[in-house]
Amino acid sequence: MSAWIVSRDHLDLLITAALAWGLTSTDETDDIGRTLWRENLASVAYRYPSDRDGTRPAPHGFRDRDVDTYQFRPYPGRVDPDVVTAAAASLEYQSCEHPGWPDSAARRWVHELHAAATVRIPAYLAQYGPVDPHRQGRGECGWYVLVDLKGRRQIRSGDGWSVPDRGVFERAAPLRVTPQRAHDDAKAPPPVN
């Protein structure tokens, strides 16, 4: 297993969702971010014991003391639960390497957020429609199609794994196809070449 320290933007995305869904209050945001980042750092330090401050797999210029300086900045755009589930799963994956993770407050918080995002996906799909990965711009790969062993197609958000910038929610919104359009496209005959 590999692990890295997530960015401030990654934490901002998760906490923005928690605020939007009433899972936390604004006076808790900085403490939650610091708690999440400390657990993430503990995991990476445990996983790579020979790495030292400034040499860990982390955002450019990251120092261990940065975890104590986290200050929340709201994320722009409409909170997309598909993106949040990917980002929460990523944070858990990056933070689960050390023995203290299973009983930590950070783990409980991440699980609560992941569950809240998961239950919101059906209503979000009904209102805004599914993502069409083919609508992404050239060179973009934030969304992809996953075909499972039974041949079922699922659209997945890859952006959440590393949260490359603060535009993830804004990029996701125009990729969604309205529910009526998705229904009409499904009934239309395939194009003739």
Side-chain angles (χ1 to χ4, degrees), residues 23 30 85 87 106 128 163 174:
L23 301 177
D30 293 348
T85 57
Y128 298 108
V163 186

Side-chain angles (χ1 to χ4, degrees), residues 65-119:
R65 66 182 172 270
D66 292 345
V67 300
D68 294 320
T69 65
Y70 174 82
Q71 291 183 317
F72 172 68
R73 294 180 309 152
Y75 226 77
R78 182 175 65 224
V79 177
D80 188 320
D82 278 328
V83 174
V84 175
T85 57
S90 174
L91 179 60
E92 175 158 20
Y93 190 86
Q94 309 319 321
S95 302
C96 72
E97 296 284 344
H98 72 102
W101 174 254
D103 296 323
S104 70
R107 180 183 176 276
R108 288 188 297 279
W109 190 91
V110 170
H111 276 239
E112 182 180 346
L113 180 65
H114 190 278
T118 301
V119 301

Side-chain angles (χ1 to χ4, degrees), residues 127-148:
Q127 183 171 0
Y128 298 108
V131 164
D132 179 357
H134 297 91
R135 298 176 81 177
Q136 294 180 109
R138 186 178 173 96
E140 291 181 21
C141 56
W143 293 81
Y144 61 95
V145 177
L146 174 73
V147 179
D148 68 17

Side-chain angles (χ1 to χ4, degrees), residues 11 32 35 40 43 54-55 58 70 79 87-89 100 134 137-140 157-158 161 183:
L11 299 174
I32 290 169
T35 298
N40 183 211
S43 175
T55 66
Y70 174 82
V79 177
H134 297 91
R138 186 178 173 96
E140 291 181 21
S157 168
W161 282 96
H183 184 284

Side-chain angles (χ1 to χ4, degrees), residues 78 130-132 135-136 167-177:
R78 182 175 65 224
V131 164
D132 179 357
R135 298 176 81 177
Q136 294 180 109
V168 173
F169 290 147
E170 292 169 328
R171 279 196 314 278
L175 298 179
R176 293 210 173 260
V177 180

